[in-house]
Amino acid sequence: MKNFGDTLYVFDFGKNIAGVCNLIAIGPAGTRVTMKHGEFTYADGRVNMSNVDIYYNPMPEREMQTDTYYMKGGCVETYTPSFTYHGFRYVEVAFSKPVKLTRESVRAHFTHTDLERVGSFECSNELLNRIYSATCLTYLDNLVSIPTDCPQREKNGWTADANLAIDVALLNYDGFGFYEKWVGDMIDSQAPDGNLPGIVPTAGWGYEDWIGPVWASAFFMIPDALECYSGDITAIERIYPVCEAYLAYLGRRLDEDGTVTYGIGDWVYYDTPTPTDYSTTLFYYHQNVLMARFSELLGKESAPYSAKAAYLKDLVNRKYFDEENCIYANGSQAAEAMALMLGVVPEEYCAKVAANLNQSIVDNNYYLDFGSVGSKFVPRVLADYGYAETVYTMMTREEIPSWGAWLNQGLTTLAERWALDMVKFRDSSANHVFLGDISAWMTNYLAGIRYDENDRGFRHIVIKPHVVGDLEWVSATYHSVKGEIAVSWHREGDKVHLKVSIPANTTATVCCPDGDYEVGGGQHQYSYYYNNILN
């Protein structure tokens, strides 16, 4: 606590949370009390609201993230606001008359939807542990009835934000019921013409063309993810008519190339943009791929969607692929990763495109240069094609742009943009989860816990850990729908010792440098020489 006389106090709760404050004080009758909540402070210690109220025009006694209370006087009074919550680390408490407060006078209550924790990750690199913890805190801060973009300003259910964070969500929390409820909100949000909004739920905003199909892909990808993790196709059954109507809507908006190109793409990129027409066409392709799969699962006609996907794949390669240099679109990190991740690259070019992506990061001194979509796709693609070492070097950078830079500059949650100076950052929140898939990457790639794409719901499990950089050990757990999966490894000289626990009544493929091992439920141990590890 820091006081500015006896009418103004600022409390620092140490972490950026979502919730409300409880005030306990004694003061004169009629004293006006305001509690202003923010994520930053000025140099003098006062709360800085410039990144929160930038788009808000305050009205008298209606300031952004500010609760107001009038004291009745004569006794100890307790005030906690109802029917609201804020995003904040700091609260500035101001009185119209002198009132004495202590550190115990104001308490912060962390508020979020109550989901059971089902995952954990730890390793020998403390920066990665801090990034992982900050990601989980950010996720919970944005889990208040719906998955939101930020808890302090919009509190909107932006679809791409939730989509990009779905692996963070399901690897760490039992969110099946939560997202199945949100799928119901998705269904309710569809416009009569088939269009889908970029926020769910909505009172009528979010259908504009500037948002577009990349954001609407959440309507396909989140139900697909729920089936990946649970093996249950209920969400796919429920969303199918919505996706069917949306693709029909897009079919009425095709340009001369037979695609759609409007909307947001790799949002909040650091320096290099990725062409939106390219990104949108890729995600339109992926929607048709998923719709063909959904149709097959449900016993419906899949041929029209498969045919459209094949056409769009060919279009992407004709229009955006430089075969000679193996570069997609403008060659940005996100552009190369999107093509690989979504499966449009012809097989004979995959290795070269991945090598180009890797080289672009190496040439950038291992610094990232992508936005929201790239933050999920780039690390995964690099590791899949043998460049996990590059990901590790990139993710352990501590200067802007990096995850570490946020934490080293005092943030306890993930930011909305890579830049942190208050000029460039002024219209951004310090509590956004959509750049946080790197923490899911830690579980999927450093620990190596993954579902089998061909046998979903963790009936068959893939264990493929990556031993990289200066990491000495990794330990992770995931309580899947089939039971708890646990993986740990540590180095001992030139050797790596791997321990794996597989749930009963499941099978697993454990991938080691000397070969793959097919195992059943139980405890399994392996040792191998580090120099033989293939990333």
Side-chain angles (χ1 to χ4, degrees):
M1 182 191 78
K2 183 175 182 178
N3 69 295
F4 301 80
D6 53 9
T7 60
L8 185 65
Y9 303 82
V10 174
F11 290 80
D12 177 1
F13 295 102
K15 291 184 178 180
N16 200 6
I17 63 169
V20 294
C21 285
N22 168 246
L23 171 68
I24 304 173
I26 302 176
T31 300
R32 183 174 184 266
V33 188
T34 58
M35 294 192 292
K36 180 167 62 176
H37 303 73
E39 297 182 304
F40 297 101
T41 58
Y42 292 107
D44 65 358
R46 297 284 301 274
V47 169
N48 180 352
M49 298 286 285
S50 63
N51 76 308
V52 173
D53 64 7
I54 181 173
Y55 299 117
Y56 178 70
N57 296 318
M59 296 175 282
E61 298 191 16
R62 294 177 185 268
E63 295 180 335
M64 188 78 169
Q65 286 218 129
T66 300
D67 301 318
T68 303
Y69 174 69
Y70 290 87
M71 303 188 78
K72 60 185 177 182
C75 63
V76 176
E77 299 179 52
T78 299
Y79 170 66
T80 305
S82 302
F83 309 112
T84 191
Y85 74 94
H86 309 295
F88 64 100
R89 172 174 172 171
Y90 306 94
V91 61
E92 183 173 295
V93 185
F95 298 90
S96 61
K97 300 176 184 179
V99 173
K100 294 291 186 182
L101 296 185
T102 68
R103 288 176 53 129
E104 288 71 38
S105 297
V106 179
R107 299 176 181 176
H109 295 278
F110 184 16
T111 303
H112 61 83
T113 298
D114 186 18
L115 299 187
E116 181 182 354
R117 187 69 183 260
V118 296
S120 67
F121 176 89
E122 288 185 287
C123 69
S124 59
N125 186 304
E126 188 54 32
L127 176 62
L128 298 195
N129 293 336
R130 290 169 60 206
I131 293 170
Y132 176 83
S133 295
T135 303
C136 291
L137 177 58
T138 309
Y139 175 72
L140 290 179
D141 284 343
N142 284 288
L143 202 73
V144 183
S145 178
I146 61 172
T148 64
D149 60 330
C150 55
Q152 76 296 88
R153 196 170 64 195
E154 295 186 28
K155 299 182 174 75
N156 277 324
W158 284 100
T159 51
D161 296 46
N163 191 22
L164 292 166
I166 192 64
D167 291 294
V168 168
L170 297 180
L171 283 171
N172 290 287
Y173 300 94
D174 181 1
F176 294 120
F178 176 85
Y179 286 100
E180 286 165 1
K181 179 266 180 190
W182 200 51
V183 167
D185 295 337
M186 289 179 168
I187 293 168
D188 293 340
S189 73
Q190 187 163 44
D193 64 357
N195 194 13
L196 297 174
I199 60 169
V200 174
T202 175
W205 182 65
Y207 299 92
E208 294 80 4
D209 279 0
W210 67 267
I211 299 173
V214 175
W215 260 233
S217 290
F219 287 74
F220 298 78
M221 296 174 74
I222 286 181
D224 184 63
L226 292 174
E227 195 257 335
C228 287
Y229 280 86
S230 69
D232 185 352
I233 65 171
T234 300
I236 292 174
E237 288 177 321
R238 295 175 64 203
I239 205 70
Y240 188 90
V242 172
C243 296
E244 186 176 37
Y246 179 66
L247 290 179
Y249 167 81
L250 292 184
R252 297 190 295 271
R253 300 199 56 182
L254 300 180
D255 63 16
E256 63 275 10
D257 287 329
T259 186
V260 287
T261 59
Y262 64 93
I264 310 172
D266 188 38
W267 184 241
V268 296
Y269 58 87
Y270 178 65
D271 187 48
T272 305
T274 299
T276 297
D277 57 329
Y278 164 76
S279 303
T280 302
T281 299
L282 274 176
F283 275 82
Y284 182 33
Y285 156 78
H286 190 56
Q287 289 169 3
N288 279 277
V289 169
L290 289 178
M291 196 61 175
R293 181 177 181 275
F294 294 171
S295 299
E296 291 172 2
L297 280 174
L298 301 178
K300 299 177 182 292
E301 178 60 49
S302 64
Y305 303 111
S306 296
K308 185 64 178 181
Y311 170 81
L312 291 168
K313 180 176 181 178
D314 179 68
L315 173 65
V316 169
N317 284 297
R318 283 189 288 108
K319 187 173 181 178
Y320 297 104
F321 184 43
D322 177 352
E323 289 188 17
E324 182 177 351
N325 296 301
C326 288
I327 291 174
Y328 278 87
N330 63 341
S332 70
Q333 293 176 8
E336 299 286 73
M338 285 182 197
L340 288 164
M341 187 82 174
L342 298 180
V344 301
V345 184
E347 186 175 353
E348 64 269 26
Y349 294 110
C350 284
K352 180 59 177 174
V353 173
N356 284 343
L357 170 60
N358 180 69
Q359 193 61 47
S360 71
I361 294 169
V362 173
D363 291 345
N364 199 36
N365 198 22
Y366 292 91
Y367 282 104
L368 63 85
D369 185 14
F370 44 65
S372 55
V373 177
S375 71
K376 180 159 191 168
F377 286 10
V378 170
R380 290 176 178 273
V381 163
L382 285 171
D384 285 342
Y385 283 89
Y387 301 106
E389 288 280 357
T390 297
V391 180
Y392 182 74
T393 303
M394 178 177 64
M395 71 194 295
T396 53
R397 283 285 190 253
E398 298 187 44
E399 301 81 22
I400 294 173
S402 69
W403 296 272
W406 293 333
L407 305 186
N408 290 340
Q409 294 193 39
L411 298 193
T412 60
T413 47
L414 308 186
E416 185 181 4
R417 295 181 185 272
W418 301 110
L420 276 177
D421 64 272
M422 290 308 288
V423 176
K424 294 181 180 178
F425 191 78
R426 188 164 177 255
D427 68 341
S428 304
S429 98
N431 209 339
H432 261 62
V433 75
F434 67 179
L435 298 174
D437 186 72
I438 195 67
S439 293
W441 187 93
M442 296 179 200
T443 299
N444 288 152
Y445 289 88
L446 296 182
I449 299 174
R450 306 184 218 176
Y451 55 79
D452 186 340
E453 283 280 3
N454 298 313
D455 194 359
R456 299 179 173 198
F458 288 92
R459 289 181 293 265
H460 183 75
I461 302 157
V462 176
I463 305 295
K464 190 176 182 180
H466 289 70
V467 181
V468 293
D470 58 0
L471 275 182
E472 292 296 323
W473 59 269
V474 163
S475 178
T477 62
Y478 172 57
H479 197 97
S480 74
V481 293
K482 297 297 185 182
E484 185 170 85
I485 304 163
V487 174
S488 64
W489 59 259
H490 71 276
R491 297 190 198 190
E492 189 176 74
D494 291 335
K495 270 194 170 182
V496 173
H497 302 284
L498 172 65
K499 293 183 180 180
V500 177
S501 178
I502 302 299
N505 300 317
T506 66
T507 59
T509 300
V510 181
C511 303
C512 295
D514 58 351
D516 295 346
Y517 297 89
E518 303 298 330
V519 301
Q523 309 288 326
H524 309 278
Q525 297 188 35
Y526 308 89
S527 294
Y528 43 82
Y529 285 101
Y530 172 67
N531 290 336
N532 291 330
I533 291 174
L534 300 177
N535 289 319

